[in-house]
């Protein structure tokens, strides 16, 4: 397994293709990303299909399609596409990361934990590592494994470069029937980070039924 030494900027490259893949100045994969961010999922899938026909990177196409299907709750399809994307290009971070998200959404707690934990051991990118440690916490909170969750929570020490610490505290609070404390942690995070930075952290809390407002689709 190749070490994950990519920068955070590299983490977003799964959503774009090289300049030589653009046709007549258009970038279908970028169009697909924009449509997905806007919540136009069918239009996003059509743009992904156009990107595939234009010769865009197969791993990027599969990865983005997998994330869109994840948003559509087509979980089996999402898992298959994200696995295929990883097989096409094992160095890409996105497919592995979102595969963990799909497994989490399927409540396959141990599989998701393994996916996240293996990545966390391999990366020296601090923000990505923080995300992964937060994700591991969720794999314990989901099945109500308090011992595992507490150990995972203790590994997220203040301060963090990402919203990980604040959302970890919020998740713990929600899981232990302290809604007001959870909401306070989220409000604190909102003062420090933009919505696009918190969307991925917030989405599992929505999926678990702990927050009412659905966050934007977390593409990165």
């Amino acid at each position: 397994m190749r070490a994950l030494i990519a920068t955070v900027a590299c983490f977003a490259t799964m959503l774009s293709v090289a300049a030589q893949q653009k046709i007549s100045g258009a970038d279908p994969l970028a169009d697909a990303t924009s449509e997905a961010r806007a919540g136009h999922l069918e239009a996003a899938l059509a743009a992904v299909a156009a990107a595939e026909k234009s010769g865009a990177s197969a791993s990027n196409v599969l990865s983005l399609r997998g994330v869109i299907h994840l948003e559509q709750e087509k979980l089996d399809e999402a898992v298959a596409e994200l696995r295929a994307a990883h097989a096409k290009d094992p160095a890409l971070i996105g497919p592995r990361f979102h595969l963990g998200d799909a497994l989490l959404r399927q409540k396959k707690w141990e599989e998701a934990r393994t996916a996240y934990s293996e990545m966390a051991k391999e990366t020296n990118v601090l923000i990505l590592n923080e995300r992964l440690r937060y994700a591991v916490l969720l794999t314990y909170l989901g099945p109500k494994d308090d011992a595992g969750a507490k150990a995972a929570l203790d590994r997220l020490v203040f301060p963090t470069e990402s919203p990980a610490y604040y959302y970890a505290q919020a998740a713990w609070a929600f899981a232990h029937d302290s809604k007001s404390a959870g909401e306070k942690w989220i409000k604190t995070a909102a003062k420090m980070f933009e919505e696009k930075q918190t969307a991925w952290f917030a989405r599992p809390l929505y999926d678990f039924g702990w927050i009412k407002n659905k966050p934007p689709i977390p593409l990165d």
Side-chain angles (χ1 to χ4, degrees):
M1 188 71 67
R2 301 180 194 176
L4 295 173
I5 56 173
T7 63
V8 174
C10 180
F11 179 58
T13 60
M14 65 169 181
L15 305 177
S16 61
V17 291
Q20 65 265 29
Q21 294 170 324
K22 298 181 180 181
I23 297 178
S24 302
D27 183 346
L29 203 56
D31 292 343
T33 302
S34 297
E35 293 286 6
R37 287 191 191 282
H40 306 150
L41 301 184
E42 292 302 328
L45 287 174
V48 168
E52 190 170 26
K53 290 179 180 178
S54 75
S57 163
S59 53
N60 284 312
V61 165
L62 286 163
S63 183
L64 183 52
R65 185 183 285 134
V67 174
I68 294 168
H69 280 156
L70 178 59
E71 184 70 8
Q72 293 178 316
E73 297 295 332
K74 297 178 179 178
L75 301 182
D76 290 339
E77 291 94 327
V79 167
E81 286 152 351
L82 292 165
R83 288 192 193 280
H86 173 56
K88 289 282 186 183
D89 188 352
L92 270 186
I93 296 173
R96 290 181 68 190
F97 191 88
H98 289 298
L99 174 60
D101 297 346
L103 294 169
L104 186 72
R105 195 82 62 86
Q106 289 181 317
K107 299 184 179 180
K108 294 182 178 179
W109 312 118
E110 292 187 10
E111 288 185 52
R113 187 180 309 135
T114 297
Y116 292 133
S117 296
E118 287 180 352
M119 286 189 71
K121 291 176 183 176
E122 295 170 18
T123 182
N124 61 359
V125 179
L126 179 58
I127 291 179
L128 177 57
N129 190 276
E130 290 173 358
R131 285 189 176 206
L132 292 163
R133 280 181 281 154
Y134 169 74
V136 168
L137 167 65
L138 297 172
T139 70
Y140 287 110
L141 290 177
K144 304 185 187 303
D145 180 347
D146 258 16
K150 186 60 169 62
L153 182 69
D154 290 344
R155 287 193 285 272
L156 273 166
V157 182
F158 181 86
T160 51
E161 293 295 317
S162 69
Y165 177 81
Y166 304 94
Y167 273 85
Q169 296 297 326
W172 177 268
F174 284 127
H176 293 85
D177 300 319
S178 184
K179 181 180 178 182
S180 60
E183 290 175 345
K184 285 180 182 179
W185 281 110
I186 289 176
K187 287 178 181 178
T188 300
K191 295 176 182 178
M192 304 179 65
F193 300 95
E194 297 178 6
E195 186 179 44
K196 64 182 180 181
Q197 295 173 288
T198 63
W200 177 82
F201 293 91
R203 182 55 192 262
L205 306 189
Y206 173 82
D207 293 334
F208 286 1
W210 292 337
I211 61 175
K212 293 182 179 179
N213 295 327
K214 187 176 181 179
I217 179 172
L219 291 172
D220 46 34

